[in-house]
Amino acid sequence: MANRSQAPTDRSHGPAAPVLQGGWLTRGEEGRFSAYLPRDGEVVRWTEEPGGGWSGPVSLGGGGLTPFLAVGQGADRYVHLVGLRPTGGDEGHVELVHAVQFQTGRPAAAWRPLGHSNVKGPWTGNPAVAVDAQGRVYAFVRNGGGGLSVRAQKDAGGWHPWWDLKGSRTDPSPVAVTNGSGLVELYTCHATGVVRYVQREAGAKPIREEILPTSVVMGTLAAVIGPSGHATLFYLDGEGQVTAWSPERSLEPTPLGKAVGTGRLSATRCLIDGFDCTVLAQQSEDGRLALAAYPSEQEAEGLNWSETGERQGNLNTVLTRGLDGGLVAMAVADGRTPVTTRQKVGAEGLLLEGWRSIG
């Protein structure tokens, strides 16, 4: 599987397949899903219809975006989209741009520029998005110095200037989450370990904590908020082990078991046989999607992988859950139309329906 820690600096360079960050499959207040994908310089959206079918794709504009998209959703169910758009000229410079969709199936608001963490410059990393309990958006990105910067929304509208969060030589693809207290956390890694940035009060600048010394492979990070409200980070170590670390629950990382591939992990929580479980996904070495589950926040249980679906090329996967608590998965290979599956209602264990295209 290709390393998805890289992205093009403009539309003429880099992979044609999309590069996705965050929960690009979102659920509205009424329970219907929307899926978002960068395509041909814009973002397109599919919408689940009341009868269970899908409509789309519908263009949400973008004005010449690169094949990258980061998605974050707040407790108000508003969906925030962050893309990268060339600024013109031949220097390969880009800027971050933001749009928001307020209701399922409705048009998105106009794309607005957020600028570049170094005022102007080329691609430095893949943005990550989180939304706090008050609905404020935080767009994180690795800056030109290799550390992290963030642009955050103000209470009364508008945006703060870029905040430099410091650091160096960090992962191009960080992971942002909102914990059970409604505060934003960001995880990235360094050659010597994992780095956590965390808010200590609402609306505040996230604070960089000490590096956790550990072996970690860049481009493999995923995170989920557990029933305790604390974040758990997942990553591959240098030996190919899936490892979990929850800084508020354990000082040391916990190996969960051997990975089935080398690429990025995806994670969510859902109900399996009535129990709260954490589900991980990764593309296996032979190109299929593999899933593994364990009781949430009980890392000692370890992982057992099960493969599903057909062999694919470069696979982007997102996991979430429906109103009934069941798992919903979506995957897109090499920029084609996404396919989706759901957990079978009433079945024992994590048994999925057949995969089907939303096109």
Side-chain angles (χ1 to χ4, degrees):
M1 181 176 180
N3 187 333
R4 282 177 279 155
S5 65
Q6 298 184 359
T9 56
D10 60 42
R11 292 180 63 193
S12 63
H13 296 82
V19 178
L20 300 168
Q21 288 262 81
W24 53 275
L25 176 65
T26 65
R27 176 170 53 82
E29 192 70 38
E30 75 294 325
R32 292 190 291 139
F33 286 95
S34 301
Y36 303 85
L37 203 65
R39 177 180 287 180
D40 298 328
E42 60 184 14
V43 172
V44 296
R45 184 198 68 219
W46 289 263
T47 304
E48 186 183 29
E49 297 301 323
W54 291 77
S55 63
V58 173
S59 172
L60 300 183
L65 301 176
T66 71
F68 169 82
L69 181 66
V71 183
Q73 188 175 28
D76 54 13
R77 314 310 297 179
Y78 296 170
V79 179
H80 296 270
L81 311 171
V82 171
L84 295 170
R85 186 165 59 193
T87 57
D90 299 323
E91 298 177 326
H93 288 189
V94 296
E95 63 179 354
L96 274 67
V97 289
H98 167 262
V100 57
Q101 179 179 302
F102 297 104
Q103 291 179 296
T104 304
R106 302 295 297 169
W111 291 87
R112 304 292 185 187
L114 299 182
H116 191 286
S117 58
N118 296 104
V119 182
K120 66 176 183 178
W123 174 87
T124 53
N126 297 325
V129 184
V131 185
D132 71 12
Q134 288 74 38
R136 294 176 291 228
V137 180
Y138 296 76
F140 296 88
V141 69
R142 188 178 68 165
N143 55 43
L148 269 293
S149 294
V150 62
R151 191 130 197 231
Q153 280 188 318
K154 297 179 180 179
D155 289 336
W159 296 77
H160 292 286
W162 284 97
W163 293 334
D164 186 355
L165 303 183
K166 308 301 180 182
S168 64
R169 296 177 292 172
T170 60
D171 192 331
S173 294
V175 173
V177 293
T178 303
N179 63 32
S181 298
L183 302 175
V184 169
E185 302 185 25
L186 181 118
Y187 292 86
T188 186
C189 63
H190 183 277
T192 59
V194 172
V195 187
R196 180 194 188 205
Y197 298 78
V198 61
Q199 286 182 317
R200 293 305 180 189
E201 59 183 59
K205 179 179 176 180
I207 298 171
R208 180 176 181 265
E209 298 185 335
E210 292 297 320
I211 292 176
L212 171 74
T214 183
S215 169
V216 57
V217 177
M218 287 191 178
T220 64
L221 308 183
V224 70
I225 304 301
S228 67
H230 299 315
T232 302
L233 177 73
F234 302 96
Y235 60 91
L236 266 61
D237 69 13
E239 302 299 321
Q241 294 282 323
V242 178
T243 304
W245 179 51
S246 183
E248 299 295 338
R249 296 190 294 114
S250 176
L251 295 177
E252 299 295 329
T254 303
L256 299 180
K258 191 72 174 177
V260 293
T262 59
R264 190 163 198 165
L265 298 162
S266 301
T268 194
R269 286 166 50 209
C270 70
L271 295 177
I272 302 176
D273 298 333
F275 295 98
D276 190 310
C277 293
T278 295
V279 181
L280 298 179
Q282 187 183 40
Q283 190 174 20
S284 67
E285 292 287 4
D286 70 356
R288 301 178 69 198
L289 181 66
L291 299 174
Y294 70 93
S296 293
E297 300 188 334
Q298 297 182 36
E299 285 77 21
E301 295 293 324
L303 296 177
N304 290 303
W305 294 97
S306 177
E307 295 188 18
T308 178
E310 300 177 354
R311 291 176 174 83
Q312 303 282 359
N314 183 33
L315 195 65
N316 285 283
T317 305
V318 62
L319 304 178
T320 187
R321 58 181 173 180
L323 282 176
D324 62 357
L327 178 71
V328 180
M330 185 168 285
V332 59
D334 299 325
R336 298 194 296 268
T337 300
V339 294
T340 186
T341 185
R342 294 174 181 257
Q343 186 176 348
K344 281 191 175 182
V345 177
E348 293 185 2
L350 184 57
L351 187 61
L352 301 180
E353 298 176 350
W355 288 87
R356 60 190 181 97
S357 172
I358 67 172

